[in-house]
């Protein structure tokens, strides 16, 4: 399907279905694919599908490679021995395990898998996505303990 891209007064691309905004056209393209249910990139090993080619490539490298990928990114928190292959996996780990008590007050659970930001009312379909979002809000906090912890990530 050929997508129609619309911009608002601020120059952001606006989804005609849910009104979500994106700065870039390619990001809106992937967002629209999710509404359509189109996942064009399929793993030849397990038939799992992905919206973006880089996600398929990462999946193959992490799940199906004969040579294991070294987990070289260590969690920076004291007394935590976890290591990760990707920075974003480490960041979600930190949010879930080390900052959860600080971030959970910003997250409101709706029906199903929907999470809403208590600060700006934006909806997310996954817990990692809402964590990334509220971490951005948390960067503006006046709480010195949270501010110090966020400088780590």
């Amino acid at each position: 399907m050929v997508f129609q891209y619309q911009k608002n007064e601020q120059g952001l691309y606006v989804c005609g279905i849910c009104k979500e905004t994106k700065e870039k056209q390619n990001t809106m393209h992937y967002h629209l694919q999710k509404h359509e249910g189109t996942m064009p990139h399929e793993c030849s090993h397990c038939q799992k599908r992905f919206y973006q080619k880089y996600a398929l490539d990462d999946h193959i490298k992490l799940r199906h490679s004969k040579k294991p990928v070294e987990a070289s990114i260590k969690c920076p928190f004291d007394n935590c021995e976890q290591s990760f292959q990707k920075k974003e996996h480490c960041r979600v780990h930190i949010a879930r395990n080390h900052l959860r008590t600080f971030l959970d007050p910003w997250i409101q659970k709706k029906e199903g898998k929907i999470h809403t930001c208590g600060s700006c009312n934006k909806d997310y379909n996954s817990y990692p996505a809402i964590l990334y979002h509220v971490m951005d809000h948390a960067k503006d906090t006046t709480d010195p303990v949270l501010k110090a912890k966020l400088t780590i990530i």
Side-chain angles (χ1 to χ4, degrees), residues 78-132:
D78 293 336
N79 302 321
C80 185
E81 299 300 318
Q82 291 284 329
S83 292
F84 304 89
Q85 290 127 346
K86 300 185 82 181
K87 183 179 177 182
E88 57 263 32
H89 296 163
C90 183
R91 203 165 173 228
V92 169
H93 159 79
I94 290 168
R96 283 183 168 164
N97 297 284
H98 303 293
L99 300 179
R100 186 176 206 138
T101 56
F102 294 104
L103 299 177
D104 272 354
W106 270 305
I107 301 171
Q108 299 169 351
K109 184 86 167 103
K110 281 187 175 177
E111 59 191 66
K113 290 186 173 183
I114 306 295
H115 300 85
T116 301
C117 174
S119 182
C120 68
N121 294 321
K122 199 168 185 182
D123 289 338
Y124 290 88
N125 293 326
S126 74
Y127 191 66
I130 189 76
L131 284 175
Y132 268 97

Side-chain angles (χ1 to χ4, degrees), residues 6-108:
Q6 304 164 0
K7 284 188 172 185
N8 63 12
E9 304 80 43
Q10 292 80 29
L12 299 172
Y13 291 93
V14 180
C15 175
I17 298 166
C18 71
K19 306 304 179 210
E20 186 167 334
T21 59
K22 304 287 183 185
E23 288 182 26
K24 299 178 182 172
Q25 182 177 334
N26 69 323
T27 310
M28 181 54 71
H29 176 81
Y30 295 121
H31 173 83
L32 293 170
Q33 279 185 319
K34 289 178 183 179
H35 282 302
E36 190 180 57
T38 304
M39 297 176 84
H41 305 285
E42 182 177 334
C43 176
S44 59
H45 301 278
C46 67
Q47 287 65 54
K48 187 170 181 177
R49 301 184 72 83
F50 300 87
Y51 294 106
Q52 298 176 356
K53 175 128 176 33
Y54 87 88
L56 170 62
D57 294 342
D58 281 352
H59 165 80
I60 291 170
K61 184 170 56 175
L62 294 172
R63 300 285 183 246
H64 302 296
S65 176
K66 293 191 188 325
K67 186 174 91 174
V69 178
E70 186 178 322
S72 60
I73 301 168
K74 186 182 174 324
C75 177
F77 278 77
D78 293 336
N79 302 321
C80 185
E81 299 300 318
Q82 291 284 329
S83 292
F84 304 89
Q85 290 127 346
K86 300 185 82 181
K87 183 179 177 182
E88 57 263 32
H89 296 163
C90 183
R91 203 165 173 228
V92 169
H93 159 79
I94 290 168
R96 283 183 168 164
N97 297 284
H98 303 293
L99 300 179
R100 186 176 206 138
T101 56
F102 294 104
L103 299 177
D104 272 354
W106 270 305
I107 301 171
Q108 299 169 351

